[in-house]
Amino acid sequence: MSKYGTIVQHIIDSIEHGSYQAGDALPSLRQLVQQQQVSLNTARRAYYELERLGYVEAHDRSGYVVAAGAVHGADRLAAPLGAPFIHPALYDTRPLTHAFVAAMRRYDEALAEPALAGLPVLRRQIAQQAHAEGWRLQADDVLVTCGGMEALSLAIAAVTHGIADPCVAVLLPAFPGLLGWLAEHGVRVLPLPVDGDGVLDSAALQQALAAGQVHAIALMTAYCHPHGRSLPLATQQQLLALAQQHDVALIEDDAYRHLGFAEQVPLPLKAQDTDGRVLLCATFSKSLAPGYRVGWLAPGRYAETVRRLKLAHTLASPLPNQMALAELLAGGRHLPLLARLRQQLAQKVAALEQALRQRLPAQIDIRPAEGGYFVWLEQLPCDTVQLAAQAEREGIVLAPGSLCLPGDAGRRALRLNASYFDPLRQQAALDWLARALR
Amino acid sequence: MSKYGTIVQHIIDSIEHGSYQAGDALPSLRQLVQQQQVSLNTARRAYYELERLGYVEAHDRSGYVVAAGAVHGADRLAAPLGAPFIHPALYDTRPLTHAFVAAMRRYDEALAEPALAGLPVLRRQIAQQAHAEGWRLQADDVLVTCGGMEALSLAIAAVTHGIADPCVAVLLPAFPGLLGWLAEHGVRVLPLPVDGDGVLDSAALQQALAAGQVHAIALMTAYCHPHGRSLPLATQQQLLALAQQHDVALIEDDAYRHLGFAEQVPLPLKAQDTDGRVLLCATFSKSLAPGYRVGWLAPGRYAETVRRLKLAHTLASPLPNQMALAELLAGGRHLPLLARLRQQLAQKVAALEQALRQRLPAQIDIRPAEGGYFVWLEQLPCDTVQLAAQAEREGIVLAPGSLCLPGDAGRRALRLNASYFDPLRQQAALDWLARALR
């Protein structure tokens, strides 16, 4: 291709691959001449051609900008009941932003203090919150991570480190991020089936543990993903006892403990950990600080391995974000925010449950969630992977249960994100779903 | 232990493990009664004992705080010439903080836009910066990471994914984080020796490539860690040609390209990549945004694997931090900051090189760095691992060369962080070093 043609093609590519938006300034004629080693005439011809094709507009003397019609944005989908996160409109992010701005006045000071395991003041706040909830955790035992996903990732990596053919027993249904990690890293999954009342059938687990074939147990205890109900204390204690008896680790994913609809915050299973075998994985992303990517991990006896892996993967966690959270927590300003979020989630979930009960056939069992932001439907009369594909053609985004539950049971389940539910605007979507499930 | 004794011991532990600092409020008597299910009398007795032991002070009516004398902070080391990062005082963080504050006004808007691969406006800025430097990169090809270490971690994980006994050829000396990752994950290292002029002895590499025993080549091209000199273009092209010929990946760690002492920013080797085999790993941590943990990766043909691994490890990168950087870059306000930092680093490095030349025996060759913030000494007359241990006892922190260079050569090398060098305050430390190296 000629130099002139190469320049034209590169700029078209750059616009079509999202490097420039309408109105963005493009390199000046002078810059093109220098960078591409072409004559001013060639550079002018290239822009002239781009103008003719409708990609650029001449601005002032020698400036060119991307033309308004050159960029086509993707359309948004209408009813994202399959979304994974809480709708951002349910957060009041202003107090955290204010805390951020206040904290950043001391940024130079914070930078001077080495904090590879996390900002000391945030780690103290986390320990003190635990004490206020009535359980024991020390600041030194906390490693701040890049979000809850890194906490979980480090926990699994640590307990399976150096094991040739690792296997983790997983309470199902489970968080898709956990199942994704295990699949991505070739870790076998032993499914732990619980019934609707949270009673565990532990026969297969006991057998596998006795044979030394299971290296860790992974579970949520509070407002579990995706059904939003807590695991009964008896089942939690049964699993902890089995882990102790067979000397395996227990990974507790604590993403939703502060999202319950009742006022009392339940204790994590970690509170009963006497010998450091529980790795507690927590996050502020769902409760207080969406997008900040601040999570934490209490790795117990795996602290040394976790620390090494954290250094190798992301070195340290973002400092300004930790400062903002520490500032918010220190003032106790997070408590009204949490209370408001929990109330909103309770209302949204109740409204979606009610709307579904009104529309769906009576034999579809809708068990009320106790926390979180999902409604989980099981034993549906159709394959929900196919249903989600059909729904997408109607502009409705659904999450098939197979994301959380492998096998046939998952293909007959559906996870609905109640935080996106708007009773007025999503009637048509729910009516469509009701028809499809009849 | 009695309930009373348990409470006393827990609070002492909490103070000694860093969960509380002097002046921090402890749980109130009422909280203790509720949480620990003890009588008010028992709670009072516990605090009375803690007061007697000097751990707490009664504050007002029912409040207790940690006593000033109860907490002992760690002493700081005096001359951290072995530090890994740039001294925080060399950054002017205020413009970025201002950009942060300005950007956060639109936080709710940003949250509503899904951005798992990174904030679109930052990815566009990164592409446009490349275009301004005279090379081609598209926003769609950029994945924003949690710092440069995650970029590097994802790149190696992607190119070694699914390979039974992976081996990476590494240009030595190298960044310790890279060597640490490879060791942690059981990846074999084939050392690539270059001489002082950057000429590669490629015999062993060619043989290993021909035998299919090498799966990627990892290198820095600009102001390489730790010696601060760039790899000659001829060597860069030789390695790219070998990678192409044997169809292996090339991981380019681009942490220091903007820290050169000359004005012209060199192009990355990625600029010559015609078939997507170069994975470029970059970061803003060293240049503009220390502590923000914003890096990026242009993974070429490995984009799909990298995307999956990123989801499994940290899901997404922190959003406020990306917004702050995008805001700073859009206004071009980063350019004077970079210019100032580079000038300061050049001065610091020159000053340390001069101070060393004045003191060290003439046979120790001090090759001038062209960028970065380290001075690298080789072929020293003693074992620098032992030297660093001796130095620590004098309050001098040194980084032995073995961090960057395995084997005997590394044990005779030393990496000095010039950004921490203060000619007035560190005369004694340098004199000590000169005596030890005689």
Side-chain angles (χ1 to χ4, degrees):
Chain A
M1 208 186 282
S2 65
K3 282 222 161 182
Y4 147 83
T6 313
I7 293 172
V8 170
Q9 195 51 53
H10 171 55
I11 291 178
I12 292 177
D13 282 353
S14 298
I15 294 170
E16 295 191 337
H17 285 85
S19 299
Y20 294 87
Q21 276 196 323
D24 278 358
L26 290 160
S28 67
L29 288 175
R30 198 178 59 89
Q31 283 177 317
L32 267 196
V33 167
Q34 284 183 349
Q35 289 163 14
Q36 308 297 331
Q37 317 258 318
V38 293
S39 70
L40 186 62
N41 216 22
T42 303
R44 270 218 194 87
R45 261 187 65 207
Y47 272 128
Y48 182 78
E49 176 66 10
L50 286 162
E51 253 190 292
R52 203 187 59 79
L53 294 170
Y55 281 95
V56 315
E57 284 166 9
H59 224 217
D60 41 42
R61 227 168 261 268
S62 64
Y64 290 87
V65 301
V66 177
V71 187
H72 308 282
D75 287 331
R76 294 291 170 70
L77 286 161
L81 294 170
F85 307 121
I86 294 176
H87 195 301
L90 300 199
Y91 295 100
D92 176 5
T93 60
R94 287 165 306 174
L96 186 55
T97 302
H98 293 161
F100 217 140
V101 173
M104 288 304 280
R105 292 194 197 111
R106 299 183 301 276
Y107 194 56
D108 286 345
E109 226 171 283
L111 261 185
E113 219 181 330
L116 288 178
L119 187 74
V121 59
L122 179 62
R123 296 164 78 203
R124 283 198 297 277
Q125 285 295 337
I126 289 168
Q128 294 180 20
Q129 298 298 326
H131 302 169
E133 290 169 11
W135 61 287
R136 289 172 185 189
L137 179 74
Q138 304 303 358
D140 288 352
D141 302 332
V142 171
L143 177 85
V144 181
T145 58
C146 296
M149 192 63 228
E150 189 183 40
L152 204 50
S153 162
L154 291 171
I156 320 169
V159 301
T160 57
H161 197 66
I163 294 174
D165 182 20
C167 174
V168 175
V170 179
L171 201 74
L172 292 177
F175 170 52
L178 170 67
L179 298 173
W181 199 102
L182 297 169
E184 193 65 62
H185 294 79
V187 177
R188 279 180 304 120
V189 169
L190 177 77
L192 294 183
V194 287
D195 66 16
D197 296 319
V199 176
L200 173 73
D201 175 0
S202 68
L205 175 62
Q206 296 215 31
Q207 203 177 353
L209 282 169
Q213 286 163 353
V214 167
H215 307 98
I217 297 169
L219 78 170
M220 297 186 83
T221 55
Y223 316 124
C224 308
H225 189 121
H227 52 63
R229 291 189 303 281
S230 293
L231 194 65
L233 265 182
T235 308
Q236 295 186 34
Q237 279 159 348
Q238 182 188 7
L239 286 167
L240 181 57
L242 283 170
Q244 284 167 342
Q245 190 187 332
H246 296 279
D247 195 21
V248 300
L250 212 148
I251 297 170
E252 182 177 17
D253 177 1
D254 183 26
Y256 303 128
R257 199 159 51 86
H258 295 91
L259 300 185
F261 305 153
E263 201 172 326
Q264 179 72 37
V265 177
L267 296 187
L269 185 52
K270 175 77 179 169
Q272 298 179 48
D273 182 24
T274 51
D275 54 6
R277 73 177 62 250
V278 178
L279 299 95
L280 183 73
C281 306
T283 177
F284 292 105
S285 300
K286 300 284 194 297
S287 55
L288 290 171
Y292 278 57
R293 310 305 301 140
V294 179
W296 55 274
L297 174 60
R301 59 164 79 161
Y302 298 89
E304 185 46 35
T305 310
V306 162
R307 195 193 57 77
R308 281 206 327 270
L309 291 170
K310 164 76 181 168
L311 278 180
H313 283 259
T314 56
L315 195 63
S317 298
L319 198 54
N321 315 42
Q322 297 182 71
M323 292 172 69
L325 269 162
E327 176 88 16
L328 187 79
L329 294 171
R333 275 171 293 168
H334 64 298
L335 296 171
L337 293 174
L338 265 181
R340 181 171 166 272
L341 177 65
R342 289 157 63 171
Q343 192 188 11
Q344 285 193 299
L345 292 179
Q347 284 168 358
K348 289 273 190 188
V349 166
L352 179 56
E353 285 172 352
Q354 194 194 354
L356 288 168
R357 276 198 202 93
Q358 284 166 355
R359 283 173 177 84
L360 299 193
Q363 65 269 33
I364 296 179
D365 188 23
I366 303 171
R367 292 178 73 101
E370 299 161 0
Y373 53 98
F374 291 121
V375 174
W376 173 250
L377 302 176
E378 283 184 308
Q379 298 181 327
L380 299 180
C382 64
D383 182 326
T384 52
V385 175
Q386 287 173 17
L387 182 74
Q390 287 163 22
E392 200 175 336
R393 289 192 287 272
E394 308 286 328
I396 301 166
V397 186
L398 295 177
S402 51
L403 283 171
C404 308
L405 182 60
D408 282 347
R411 292 186 79 107
R412 299 205 164 260
L414 205 56
R415 186 191 74 185
L416 299 173
N417 185 330
S419 75
Y420 277 83
F421 179 57
D422 179 333
L424 295 176
R425 295 176 60 190
Q426 286 166 346
Q427 288 205 7
L430 285 196
D431 288 341
W432 181 90
L433 183 63
R435 277 194 306 277
L437 293 180
R438 229 164 243 143
Chain B
M1 208 185 284
S2 65
K3 281 220 159 184
Y4 148 83
T6 312
I7 293 172
V8 169
Q9 196 50 54
H10 170 55
I11 291 178
I12 291 177
D13 282 353
S14 299
I15 293 169
E16 294 191 338
H17 285 85
S19 298
Y20 294 87
Q21 276 196 321
D24 278 357
L26 290 160
S28 67
L29 288 174
R30 198 177 59 88
Q31 283 177 316
L32 267 196
V33 166
Q34 283 181 350
Q35 288 162 16
Q36 308 297 332
Q37 317 259 317
V38 293
S39 70
L40 186 62
N41 216 23
T42 304
R44 270 217 193 87
R45 259 187 68 207
Y47 271 129
Y48 182 78
E49 176 67 10
L50 286 162
E51 252 189 292
R52 202 186 60 80
L53 294 169
Y55 282 95
V56 315
E57 284 165 7
H59 224 218
D60 40 42
R61 227 167 262 268
S62 66
Y64 290 88
V65 302
V66 176
V71 188
H72 309 279
D75 288 331
R76 292 291 168 70
L77 286 160
L81 293 171
F85 308 120
I86 294 176
H87 195 301
L90 299 199
Y91 295 101
D92 175 6
T93 60
R94 287 165 307 173
L96 186 55
T97 302
H98 292 160
F100 217 139
V101 173
M104 288 304 281
R105 292 192 198 112
R106 298 182 303 276
Y107 194 56
D108 286 346
E109 225 171 282
L111 261 185
E113 218 180 329
L116 289 178
L119 187 74
V121 59
L122 179 61
R123 296 163 78 203
R124 282 199 297 278
Q125 286 294 339
I126 289 168
Q128 294 179 20
Q129 298 299 326
H131 302 170
E133 289 169 13
W135 62 287
R136 289 171 186 191
L137 179 74
Q138 305 302 357
D140 289 351
D141 302 332
V142 171
L143 177 84
V144 181
T145 58
C146 296
M149 192 62 228
E150 189 182 42
L152 204 50
S153 161
L154 291 172
I156 319 168
V159 301
T160 57
H161 197 67
I163 293 173
D165 182 21
C167 174
V168 175
V170 179
L171 201 74
L172 292 176
F175 170 52
L178 170 67
L179 298 173
W181 199 102
L182 296 169
E184 194 64 64
H185 294 79
V187 177
R188 279 181 303 120
V189 169
L190 177 78
L192 294 183
V194 286
D195 67 16
D197 297 320
V199 176
L200 173 74
D201 175 0
S202 69
L205 175 64
Q206 295 215 30
Q207 202 176 355
L209 282 169
Q213 287 163 352
V214 167
H215 307 99
I217 298 168
L219 78 170
M220 296 187 84
T221 55
Y223 315 123
C224 307
H225 189 120
H227 53 62
R229 291 188 304 280
S230 293
L231 193 66
L233 264 182
T235 308
Q236 294 186 34
Q237 280 160 348
Q238 181 188 6
L239 286 166
L240 181 57
L242 283 170
Q244 284 167 342
Q245 191 187 333
H246 297 279
D247 195 21
V248 300
L250 212 148
I251 297 169
E252 181 177 19
D253 177 1
D254 182 26
Y256 303 128
R257 199 159 52 86
H258 295 91
L259 301 186
F261 306 152
E263 202 173 326
Q264 179 72 37
V265 178
L267 296 186
L269 185 51
K270 175 76 179 171
Q272 297 179 50
D273 182 23
T274 51
D275 53 6
R277 72 177 62 250
V278 178
L279 298 96
L280 183 73
C281 306
T283 178
F284 292 104
S285 299
K286 299 284 194 298
S287 55
L288 290 171
Y292 278 59
R293 310 305 301 137
V294 179
W296 56 273
L297 174 59
R301 60 164 78 161
Y302 298 89
E304 184 48 33
T305 309
V306 162
R307 196 193 57 77
R308 281 207 327 270
L309 291 171
K310 165 76 182 166
L311 277 179
H313 283 259
T314 56
L315 195 64
S317 297
L319 198 54
N321 315 42
Q322 296 182 71
M323 292 172 69
L325 270 162
E327 177 88 16
L328 187 79
L329 295 170
R333 276 170 292 168
H334 65 298
L335 296 170
L337 293 174
L338 265 181
R340 182 171 165 272
L341 177 66
R342 289 157 63 170
Q343 192 187 11
Q344 285 192 298
L345 292 178
Q347 284 168 359
K348 289 273 190 188
V349 167
L352 179 56
E353 284 172 352
Q354 194 194 351
L356 289 167
R357 276 199 201 93
Q358 283 166 355
R359 283 173 176 83
L360 300 193
Q363 65 268 34
I364 296 179
D365 188 21
I366 302 171
R367 293 179 71 100
E370 299 161 0
Y373 52 99
F374 291 122
V375 174
W376 174 249
L377 302 176
E378 284 183 306
Q379 300 181 324
L380 299 180
C382 64
D383 182 325
T384 53
V385 175
Q386 287 173 17
L387 182 74
Q390 287 162 23
E392 201 175 334
R393 290 192 286 273
E394 308 286 328
I396 300 166
V397 185
L398 295 178
S402 50
L403 282 172
C404 308
L405 183 60
D408 282 346
R411 291 185 80 108
R412 298 204 165 262
L414 206 55
R415 187 192 73 185
L416 299 173
N417 185 330
S419 74
Y420 277 83
F421 178 58
D422 178 333
L424 295 176
R425 297 176 58 189
Q426 285 167 347
Q427 289 204 8
L430 285 196
D431 288 342
W432 182 90
L433 183 63
R435 278 195 304 278
L437 293 180
R438 226 164 247 144

